[in-house]
Amino acid sequence: MKKIFDTHAHYDDEAFDSDREELLASMKEQGVERIVNVSANLREIQETLKLIERFPFFYGAAGVHPDDTKELNEENFEQIRRAAMHEKMVAIGEIGLDYYWDSSDRETQKKWFLRQLELARELDKPVIIHSREAAQDTLELIRQAGGPDFSMVIHCFSYSTELAREYLNMGYYLGIGGVVTYKNGRKLKEVVSYMPLDRILLETDAPYLTPVPFRGKRNSSEKIHYVAEEIARLKNISQDEVLEAAWNNACRFYRLNEQQ
Ligand code: NI
């Protein structure tokens, strides 16, 4: 069985409160060998710290999602920096712009997006980008901050093939999850067919974005198989090839040893 690396999940979510222990204890036997728990606000950063200290196969990302940037100020920003210095915090994220929900005003989102990019540069960490209905501004701010100097993944990539090309040209990765299995995921299927295999990071965004045939139910890392299966179909290769490449890509991106 090929090893699974779930590059983006939220196991601190309350959807896992009833059975988190049993579920995480069963991951290894289902082939899930590494998980990066991604935080979206200051409280989740603390929860992520607990998970990575508790479970050897867990790593973390520290960052504040655009929706929650309204909670940030100069004092509490230091909490992100302090957490990000933990040896198992392998990235800054998820950070970016979200003009779909607009739950923090756009100037606030932009300000703290740039500040967290500076932090990533200062600490020399890869970055997990969240960008929803903010394609132009996201690209502009990333370029303004230094573009190809960064190592980045565009999480849950939802834009066009043209935009995918822009990001791939800067050396970035694209995060591919359950959406690629959806009937209405045609745009993403095109992107996956177009992009090179060595830039795909497999992700669940658990508990969200559950792949077909479990769409609508709670997502968890072992279901990444269905995502790999669809990518294999689109690229006309085997599922094992997809899983193996995705493992290597994830280790390269998060700077972890490929062996364990
Ligand atoms: Ni997420």
Side-chain angles (χ1 to χ4, degrees), residues 8-10 12 37-48 61-72 80 93-95 116 130 205 208:
H8 189 124
H10 302 277
D12 52 289
N37 202 74
V38 179
S39 50
N41 56 46
L42 296 172
R43 185 187 54 77
E44 290 180 18
I45 290 173
Q46 297 310 312
E47 296 301 321
T48 297
V64 172
H65 183 288
D67 285 353
D68 284 321
T69 47
K70 55 182 180 295
E71 75 171 342
L72 287 176
I80 310 177
E94 52 189 288
I95 65 172
Q116 292 181 93
H130 171 103
D205 209 23
Y208 310 108

mmCIF file of all heavy atoms in Angstrom, residues 8-10 12 37-48 61-72 80 93-95 116 130 205 208:
data_model
loop_
_atom_site.group_PDB
_atom_site.id
_atom_site.type_symbol
_atom_site.label_atom_id
_atom_site.label_comp_id
_atom_site.label_asym_id
_atom_site.label_seq_id
_atom_site.Cartn_x
_atom_site.Cartn_y
_atom_site.Cartn_z
ATOM 1 N N HIS A 8 -3.226 18.924 4.075
ATOM 2 C CA HIS A 8 -4.060 20.026 4.573
ATOM 3 C C HIS A 8 -5.329 19.475 5.219
ATOM 4 O O HIS A 8 -6.221 18.990 4.528
ATOM 5 C CB HIS A 8 -4.428 20.950 3.402
ATOM 6 C CG HIS A 8 -5.098 22.224 3.799
ATOM 7 N ND1 HIS A 8 -4.610 23.469 3.449
ATOM 8 C CD2 HIS A 8 -6.231 22.462 4.517
ATOM 9 C CE1 HIS A 8 -5.407 24.414 3.927
ATOM 10 N NE2 HIS A 8 -6.402 23.828 4.570
ATOM 11 N N ALA A 9 -5.372 19.518 6.553
ATOM 12 C CA ALA A 9 -6.567 19.045 7.262
ATOM 13 C C ALA A 9 -6.776 19.890 8.513
ATOM 14 O O ALA A 9 -5.874 20.618 8.947
ATOM 15 C CB ALA A 9 -6.399 17.576 7.639
ATOM 16 N N HIS A 10 -7.976 19.779 9.068
ATOM 17 C CA HIS A 10 -8.332 20.558 10.266
ATOM 18 C C HIS A 10 -8.898 19.615 11.325
ATOM 19 O O HIS A 10 -10.116 19.574 11.546
ATOM 20 C CB HIS A 10 -9.368 21.629 9.915
ATOM 21 C CG HIS A 10 -8.927 22.583 8.838
ATOM 22 N ND1 HIS A 10 -8.138 23.681 9.099
ATOM 23 C CD2 HIS A 10 -9.154 22.595 7.511
ATOM 24 C CE1 HIS A 10 -7.902 24.329 7.963
ATOM 25 N NE2 HIS A 10 -8.497 23.696 6.981
ATOM 26 N N ASP A 12 -8.599 19.763 14.468
ATOM 27 C CA ASP A 12 -9.057 20.427 15.687
ATOM 28 C C ASP A 12 -10.540 20.780 15.568
ATOM 29 O O ASP A 12 -11.159 21.188 16.538
ATOM 30 C CB ASP A 12 -8.235 21.694 15.930
ATOM 31 C CG ASP A 12 -8.217 22.590 14.695
ATOM 32 O OD1 ASP A 12 -7.566 22.206 13.704
ATOM 33 O OD2 ASP A 12 -8.886 23.641 14.701
ATOM 34 N N ASN A 37 -1.784 19.597 9.975
ATOM 35 C CA ASN A 37 -2.975 20.277 10.492
ATOM 36 C C ASN A 37 -2.793 21.782 10.308
ATOM 37 O O ASN A 37 -1.825 22.367 10.785
ATOM 38 C CB ASN A 37 -3.175 19.953 11.972
ATOM 39 C CG ASN A 37 -4.610 20.169 12.398
ATOM 40 O OD1 ASN A 37 -5.485 19.372 12.047
ATOM 41 N ND2 ASN A 37 -4.874 21.262 13.101
ATOM 42 N N VAL A 38 -3.731 22.366 9.582
ATOM 43 C CA VAL A 38 -3.597 23.776 9.199
ATOM 44 C C VAL A 38 -4.502 24.624 10.080
ATOM 45 O O VAL A 38 -5.674 24.294 10.280
ATOM 46 C CB VAL A 38 -3.964 23.950 7.711
ATOM 47 C CG1 VAL A 38 -3.870 25.406 7.296
ATOM 48 C CG2 VAL A 38 -3.046 23.089 6.841
ATOM 49 N N SER A 39 -3.958 25.723 10.616
ATOM 50 C CA SER A 39 -4.765 26.590 11.465
ATOM 51 C C SER A 39 -5.270 27.791 10.677
ATOM 52 O O SER A 39 -4.706 28.171 9.653
ATOM 53 C CB SER A 39 -3.970 27.028 12.692
ATOM 54 O OG SER A 39 -2.714 27.532 12.306
ATOM 55 N N ALA A 40 -6.375 28.361 11.184
ATOM 56 C CA ALA A 40 -7.009 29.481 10.494
ATOM 57 C C ALA A 40 -7.174 30.703 11.396
ATOM 58 O O ALA A 40 -7.536 31.778 10.939
ATOM 59 C CB ALA A 40 -8.359 29.057 9.924
ATOM 60 N N ASN A 41 -6.912 30.533 12.698
ATOM 61 C CA ASN A 41 -7.002 31.673 13.620
ATOM 62 C C ASN A 41 -6.139 31.379 14.848
ATOM 63 O O ASN A 41 -5.539 30.296 14.943
ATOM 64 C CB ASN A 41 -8.466 31.960 14.004
ATOM 65 C CG ASN A 41 -9.151 30.740 14.602
ATOM 66 O OD1 ASN A 41 -8.594 30.057 15.465
ATOM 67 N ND2 ASN A 41 -10.357 30.453 14.137
ATOM 68 N N LEU A 42 -6.083 32.329 15.775
ATOM 69 C CA LEU A 42 -5.152 32.188 16.907
ATOM 70 C C LEU A 42 -5.510 31.005 17.803
ATOM 71 O O LEU A 42 -4.626 30.293 18.285
ATOM 72 C CB LEU A 42 -5.132 33.487 17.717
ATOM 73 C CG LEU A 42 -4.593 34.707 16.970
ATOM 74 C CD1 LEU A 42 -4.788 35.978 17.793
ATOM 75 C CD2 LEU A 42 -3.113 34.534 16.602
ATOM 76 N N ARG A 43 -6.812 30.747 17.969
ATOM 77 C CA ARG A 43 -7.214 29.623 18.808
ATOM 78 C C ARG A 43 -6.789 28.299 18.160
ATOM 79 O O ARG A 43 -6.262 27.396 18.817
ATOM 80 C CB ARG A 43 -8.741 29.647 19.012
ATOM 81 C CG ARG A 43 -9.266 28.584 19.964
ATOM 82 C CD ARG A 43 -10.786 28.568 19.987
ATOM 83 N NE ARG A 43 -11.358 28.421 18.643
ATOM 84 C CZ ARG A 43 -11.418 27.265 17.968
ATOM 85 N NH1 ARG A 43 -10.944 26.142 18.503
ATOM 86 N NH2 ARG A 43 -11.945 27.215 16.758
ATOM 87 N N GLU A 44 -6.979 28.203 16.847
ATOM 88 C CA GLU A 44 -6.619 26.962 16.151
ATOM 89 C C GLU A 44 -5.103 26.739 16.127
ATOM 90 O O GLU A 44 -4.648 25.595 16.066
ATOM 91 C CB GLU A 44 -7.173 26.972 14.716
ATOM 92 C CG GLU A 44 -8.686 26.852 14.683
ATOM 93 C CD GLU A 44 -9.257 26.867 13.275
ATOM 94 O OE1 GLU A 44 -8.522 26.633 12.308
ATOM 95 O OE2 GLU A 44 -10.462 27.133 13.158
ATOM 96 N N ILE A 45 -4.348 27.818 16.171
ATOM 97 C CA ILE A 45 -2.887 27.663 16.255
ATOM 98 C C ILE A 45 -2.534 26.922 17.545
ATOM 99 O O ILE A 45 -1.705 26.002 17.546
ATOM 100 C CB ILE A 45 -2.179 29.032 16.187
ATOM 101 C CG1 ILE A 45 -2.306 29.617 14.771
ATOM 102 C CG2 ILE A 45 -0.705 28.914 16.593
ATOM 103 C CD1 ILE A 45 -1.788 31.045 14.628
ATOM 104 N N GLN A 46 -3.202 27.287 18.641
ATOM 105 C CA GLN A 46 -2.939 26.610 19.913
ATOM 106 C C GLN A 46 -3.374 25.147 19.855
ATOM 107 O O GLN A 46 -2.698 24.259 20.364
ATOM 108 C CB GLN A 46 -3.645 27.332 21.077
ATOM 109 C CG GLN A 46 -3.148 28.766 21.311
ATOM 110 C CD GLN A 46 -1.622 28.862 21.409
ATOM 111 O OE1 GLN A 46 -0.980 28.087 22.121
ATOM 112 N NE2 GLN A 46 -1.040 29.821 20.686
ATOM 113 N N GLU A 47 -4.534 24.892 19.231
ATOM 114 C CA GLU A 47 -5.028 23.511 19.097
ATOM 115 C C GLU A 47 -4.070 22.682 18.236
ATOM 116 O O GLU A 47 -3.823 21.508 18.506
ATOM 117 C CB GLU A 47 -6.429 23.492 18.459
ATOM 118 C CG GLU A 47 -7.519 24.165 19.286
ATOM 119 C CD GLU A 47 -7.679 23.535 20.655
ATOM 120 O OE1 GLU A 47 -7.592 22.296 20.755
ATOM 121 O OE2 GLU A 47 -7.871 24.294 21.633
ATOM 122 N N THR A 48 -3.539 23.312 17.196
ATOM 123 C CA THR A 48 -2.599 22.616 16.309
ATOM 124 C C THR A 48 -1.318 22.261 17.069
ATOM 125 O O THR A 48 -0.776 21.162 16.909
ATOM 126 C CB THR A 48 -2.308 23.479 15.063
ATOM 127 O OG1 THR A 48 -3.529 23.657 14.347
ATOM 128 C CG2 THR A 48 -1.288 22.826 14.149
ATOM 129 N N ALA A 61 0.688 23.889 10.543
ATOM 130 C CA ALA A 61 0.914 25.161 9.875
ATOM 131 C C ALA A 61 0.271 26.236 10.736
ATOM 132 O O ALA A 61 -0.849 26.061 11.221
ATOM 133 C CB ALA A 61 0.302 25.159 8.479
ATOM 134 N N ALA A 62 0.996 27.334 10.925
ATOM 135 C CA ALA A 62 0.509 28.421 11.776
ATOM 136 C C ALA A 62 0.192 29.631 10.911
ATOM 137 O O ALA A 62 1.057 30.106 10.162
ATOM 138 C CB ALA A 62 1.557 28.784 12.821
ATOM 139 N N GLY A 63 -1.048 30.109 11.015
ATOM 140 C CA GLY A 63 -1.420 31.292 10.242
ATOM 141 C C GLY A 63 -2.853 31.686 10.529
ATOM 142 O O GLY A 63 -3.604 30.920 11.136
ATOM 143 N N VAL A 64 -3.209 32.884 10.093
ATOM 144 C CA VAL A 64 -4.577 33.359 10.280
ATOM 145 C C VAL A 64 -5.222 33.584 8.904
ATOM 146 O O VAL A 64 -4.711 34.335 8.070
ATOM 147 C CB VAL A 64 -4.618 34.630 11.161
ATOM 148 C CG1 VAL A 64 -6.021 35.221 11.193
ATOM 149 C CG2 VAL A 64 -4.149 34.291 12.579
ATOM 150 N N HIS A 65 -6.321 32.872 8.705
ATOM 151 C CA HIS A 65 -7.130 32.889 7.487
ATOM 152 C C HIS A 65 -7.699 34.298 7.276
ATOM 153 O O HIS A 65 -8.004 34.981 8.254
ATOM 154 C CB HIS A 65 -8.247 31.860 7.742
ATOM 155 C CG HIS A 65 -9.190 31.606 6.625
ATOM 156 N ND1 HIS A 65 -10.138 32.520 6.225
ATOM 157 C CD2 HIS A 65 -9.364 30.511 5.840
ATOM 158 C CE1 HIS A 65 -10.854 31.991 5.230
ATOM 159 N NE2 HIS A 65 -10.397 30.779 4.978
ATOM 160 N N PRO A 66 -7.861 34.713 6.006
ATOM 161 C CA PRO A 66 -8.370 36.073 5.763
ATOM 162 C C PRO A 66 -9.651 36.405 6.534
ATOM 163 O O PRO A 66 -9.792 37.527 7.039
ATOM 164 C CB PRO A 66 -8.601 36.101 4.247
ATOM 165 C CG PRO A 66 -8.419 34.695 3.758
ATOM 166 C CD PRO A 66 -7.542 34.020 4.750
ATOM 167 N N ASP A 67 -10.567 35.448 6.655
ATOM 168 C CA ASP A 67 -11.817 35.692 7.393
ATOM 169 C C ASP A 67 -11.565 36.163 8.813
ATOM 170 O O ASP A 67 -12.367 36.891 9.383
ATOM 171 C CB ASP A 67 -12.641 34.391 7.513
ATOM 172 C CG ASP A 67 -13.321 34.017 6.213
ATOM 173 O OD1 ASP A 67 -13.277 34.816 5.262
ATOM 174 O OD2 ASP A 67 -13.897 32.905 6.163
ATOM 175 N N ASP A 68 -10.483 35.685 9.412
ATOM 176 C CA ASP A 68 -10.229 35.964 10.826
ATOM 177 C C ASP A 68 -9.164 37.024 11.058
ATOM 178 O O ASP A 68 -8.776 37.276 12.202
ATOM 179 C CB ASP A 68 -9.832 34.667 11.554
ATOM 180 C CG ASP A 68 -11.043 33.780 11.808
ATOM 181 O OD1 ASP A 68 -12.108 34.332 12.141
ATOM 182 O OD2 ASP A 68 -10.934 32.547 11.663
ATOM 183 N N THR A 69 -8.707 37.690 9.998
ATOM 184 C CA THR A 69 -7.652 38.691 10.191
ATOM 185 C C THR A 69 -8.139 39.867 11.038
ATOM 186 O O THR A 69 -7.323 40.580 11.607
ATOM 187 C CB THR A 69 -7.110 39.226 8.850
ATOM 188 O OG1 THR A 69 -8.204 39.566 7.995
ATOM 189 C CG2 THR A 69 -6.230 38.197 8.151
ATOM 190 N N LYS A 70 -9.461 40.025 11.141
ATOM 191 C CA LYS A 70 -9.955 41.134 11.967
ATOM 192 C C LYS A 70 -9.588 40.967 13.440
ATOM 193 O O LYS A 70 -9.629 41.928 14.204
ATOM 194 C CB LYS A 70 -11.471 41.322 11.795
ATOM 195 C CG LYS A 70 -12.318 40.096 12.051
ATOM 196 C CD LYS A 70 -13.792 40.434 11.781
ATOM 197 C CE LYS A 70 -14.721 39.264 12.004
ATOM 198 N NZ LYS A 70 -14.498 38.139 11.051
ATOM 199 N N GLU A 71 -9.214 39.751 13.860
ATOM 200 C CA GLU A 71 -8.819 39.547 15.265
ATOM 201 C C GLU A 71 -7.353 39.948 15.513
ATOM 202 O O GLU A 71 -6.909 39.990 16.651
ATOM 203 C CB GLU A 71 -9.044 38.086 15.690
ATOM 204 C CG GLU A 71 -8.005 37.117 15.121
ATOM 205 C CD GLU A 71 -8.092 35.701 15.700
ATOM 206 O OE1 GLU A 71 -8.709 35.498 16.764
ATOM 207 O OE2 GLU A 71 -7.515 34.792 15.070
ATOM 208 N N LEU A 72 -6.616 40.238 14.470
ATOM 209 C CA LEU A 72 -5.172 40.466 14.639
ATOM 210 C C LEU A 72 -4.831 41.904 15.026
ATOM 211 O O LEU A 72 -5.485 42.859 14.611
ATOM 212 C CB LEU A 72 -4.428 40.104 13.354
ATOM 213 C CG LEU A 72 -4.320 38.611 13.054
ATOM 214 C CD1 LEU A 72 -3.657 38.379 11.699
ATOM 215 C CD2 LEU A 72 -3.537 37.881 14.148
ATOM 216 N N ILE A 80 1.573 34.191 16.481
ATOM 217 C CA ILE A 80 1.802 33.413 15.251
ATOM 218 C C ILE A 80 3.290 33.114 15.127
ATOM 219 O O ILE A 80 3.696 31.990 14.875
ATOM 220 C CB ILE A 80 1.334 34.171 13.979
ATOM 221 C CG1 ILE A 80 -0.087 34.693 14.143
ATOM 222 C CG2 ILE A 80 1.456 33.274 12.741
ATOM 223 C CD1 ILE A 80 -0.577 35.509 12.941
ATOM 224 N N GLY A 93 0.358 29.249 7.393
ATOM 225 C CA GLY A 93 -0.910 29.139 6.669
ATOM 226 C C GLY A 93 -2.038 28.650 7.557
ATOM 227 O O GLY A 93 -1.786 28.215 8.685
ATOM 228 N N GLU A 94 -3.303 28.749 7.082
ATOM 229 C CA GLU A 94 -3.533 29.224 5.758
ATOM 230 C C GLU A 94 -3.794 30.728 5.759
ATOM 231 O O GLU A 94 -4.549 31.231 6.587
ATOM 232 C CB GLU A 94 -4.716 28.476 5.107
ATOM 233 C CG GLU A 94 -6.017 28.455 5.917
ATOM 234 C CD GLU A 94 -7.053 27.517 5.290
ATOM 235 O OE1 GLU A 94 -7.611 27.845 4.247
ATOM 236 O OE2 GLU A 94 -7.273 26.430 5.876
ATOM 237 N N ILE A 95 -3.169 31.416 4.814
ATOM 238 C CA ILE A 95 -3.259 32.868 4.731
ATOM 239 C C ILE A 95 -3.649 33.258 3.300
ATOM 240 O O ILE A 95 -3.464 32.479 2.374
ATOM 241 C CB ILE A 95 -1.931 33.543 5.120
ATOM 242 C CG1 ILE A 95 -0.807 33.207 4.127
ATOM 243 C CG2 ILE A 95 -1.512 33.133 6.528
ATOM 244 C CD1 ILE A 95 0.480 33.994 4.355
ATOM 245 N N GLN A 116 2.010 38.334 7.101
ATOM 246 C CA GLN A 116 2.299 36.913 7.300
ATOM 247 C C GLN A 116 3.243 36.394 6.219
ATOM 248 O O GLN A 116 4.037 35.490 6.482
ATOM 249 C CB GLN A 116 0.997 36.106 7.371
ATOM 250 C CG GLN A 116 0.201 36.447 8.643
ATOM 251 C CD GLN A 116 -1.096 35.646 8.755
ATOM 252 O OE1 GLN A 116 -1.134 34.584 9.365
ATOM 253 N NE2 GLN A 116 -2.173 36.156 8.160
ATOM 254 N N HIS A 130 -4.739 30.555 0.890
ATOM 255 C CA HIS A 130 -6.179 30.432 0.697
ATOM 256 C C HIS A 130 -6.617 31.616 -0.147
ATOM 257 O O HIS A 130 -6.405 32.763 0.239
ATOM 258 C CB HIS A 130 -6.900 30.451 2.053
ATOM 259 C CG HIS A 130 -8.394 30.552 1.930
ATOM 260 N ND1 HIS A 130 -9.236 29.483 2.096
ATOM 261 C CD2 HIS A 130 -9.198 31.613 1.631
ATOM 262 C CE1 HIS A 130 -10.488 29.873 1.908
ATOM 263 N NE2 HIS A 130 -10.497 31.167 1.627
ATOM 264 N N ASP A 205 -8.666 18.947 3.316
ATOM 265 C CA ASP A 205 -9.388 20.039 3.964
ATOM 266 C C ASP A 205 -10.431 19.476 4.938
ATOM 267 O O ASP A 205 -11.435 20.114 5.214
ATOM 268 C CB ASP A 205 -10.053 20.988 2.948
ATOM 269 C CG ASP A 205 -10.185 22.409 3.482
ATOM 270 O OD1 ASP A 205 -9.422 22.779 4.402
ATOM 271 O OD2 ASP A 205 -11.057 23.153 2.988
ATOM 272 N N TYR A 208 -14.044 19.143 5.651
ATOM 273 C CA TYR A 208 -14.806 19.659 4.505
ATOM 274 C C TYR A 208 -14.450 18.943 3.203
ATOM 275 O O TYR A 208 -13.515 18.160 3.137
ATOM 276 C CB TYR A 208 -14.544 21.166 4.349
ATOM 277 C CG TYR A 208 -14.713 21.924 5.630
ATOM 278 C CD1 TYR A 208 -13.612 22.435 6.318
ATOM 279 C CD2 TYR A 208 -15.980 22.102 6.190
ATOM 280 C CE1 TYR A 208 -13.768 23.110 7.521
ATOM 281 C CE2 TYR A 208 -16.145 22.768 7.393
ATOM 282 C CZ TYR A 208 -15.033 23.277 8.052
ATOM 283 O OH TYR A 208 -15.181 23.930 9.235
#
